Amino acid sequence: MVPKQGESKPRRRRKKNTGEGVGGARKRKLSAEQVNFLEMTFGDEHKLETERKEKLASDLGLDPRQVAVWFQNRRARWKNKKLEEEYTKLKTAHESIVVEKCLLESEVNLSLVFLCMFKNMFLKYFISLLRLSDLDHSFSFITPEEEIEYS
């Protein structure tokens, strides 16, 4: 049945999971020994070859599909952990760079303050020299052209 314009499709409800897998067998939780053994093997190699999967399943008394799914889930957790660690490193580096940037900005601002102070001091000194020259006509400024004449 095709819904007409403006109508929505009827929703299908999922069947509740009764804990049974394919073929009606209940999903078994792995024992601590099985998990430890799988963890040790995962530490050696993250990928799972067919022969290795069959051997692990046989040694642990599990279905090969269950071993494959465990490895797939473990690789996903391992990848997420690596991403979180990389994120933490990058975040720390970013924060230290932001702090360094703030320090450099404060140095620049301080330098600008000192530059303004020295500029004001120079202007005051220059103005006082001009006043002195106005009071005493014997004091005069020599232009570069006049300096050449005196040489």
Side-chain angles (χ1 to χ4, degrees):
M1 177 175 141
V2 177
K4 294 181 182 174
Q5 192 174 9
E7 292 181 8
S8 62
K9 291 182 182 179
R11 293 188 175 210
R12 294 183 183 182
R13 292 184 179 222
R14 284 184 168 184
K15 293 181 180 178
K16 290 188 177 180
N17 188 357
T18 58
E20 295 181 4
V22 179
R26 276 185 75 77
K27 180 179 171 185
R28 291 186 340 185
K29 187 175 180 180
L30 299 178
S31 70
E33 291 106 19
Q34 289 171 324
V35 171
N36 288 336
F37 190 75
L38 288 169
E39 285 288 349
M40 285 186 342
T41 5
F42 182 81
D44 297 338
E45 182 64 42
H46 300 313
K47 293 285 182 174
L48 197 56
E49 303 287 329
T50 307
E51 301 97 31
R52 191 164 157 237
K53 174 176 64 175
E54 298 290 337
K55 181 164 179 3
L56 279 172
S58 167
D59 290 348
L60 295 170
L62 299 171
D63 182 58
R65 180 72 188 136
Q66 198 172 2
V67 172
V69 168
W70 185 91
F71 263 80
Q72 186 177 1
N73 291 340
R74 185 63 180 87
R75 274 194 306 274
R77 287 194 313 268
W78 174 72
K79 184 179 176 183
N80 283 338
K81 185 178 178 185
K82 281 180 63 175
L83 285 172
E84 286 175 7
E85 289 170 355
E86 186 65 24
Y87 171 79
T88 303
K89 281 188 221 172
L90 289 172
K91 185 178 178 187
T92 303
H94 174 264
E95 288 169 352
S96 68
I97 288 171
V98 167
V99 167
E100 185 178 354
K101 177 184 174 268
C102 289
L103 289 173
L104 289 171
E105 285 175 344
S106 65
E107 278 184 40
V108 166
N109 289 334
L110 188 61
S111 297
L112 289 173
V113 167
F114 280 123
L115 182 64
C116 286
M117 286 173 46
F118 289 130
K119 181 180 173 185
N120 286 339
M121 288 171 51
F122 175 77
L123 288 174
K124 286 179 183 177
Y125 177 72
F126 188 72
I127 290 170
S128 67
L129 284 178
L130 285 176
R131 286 186 182 144
L132 276 175
S133 70
D134 285 346
L135 293 175
D136 183 11
H137 295 288
S138 64
F139 183 92
S140 64
F141 289 98
I142 300 175
T143 64
E145 294 82 23
E146 293 172 332
E147 188 175 300
I148 294 171
E149 290 174 16
Y150 289 118
S151 303

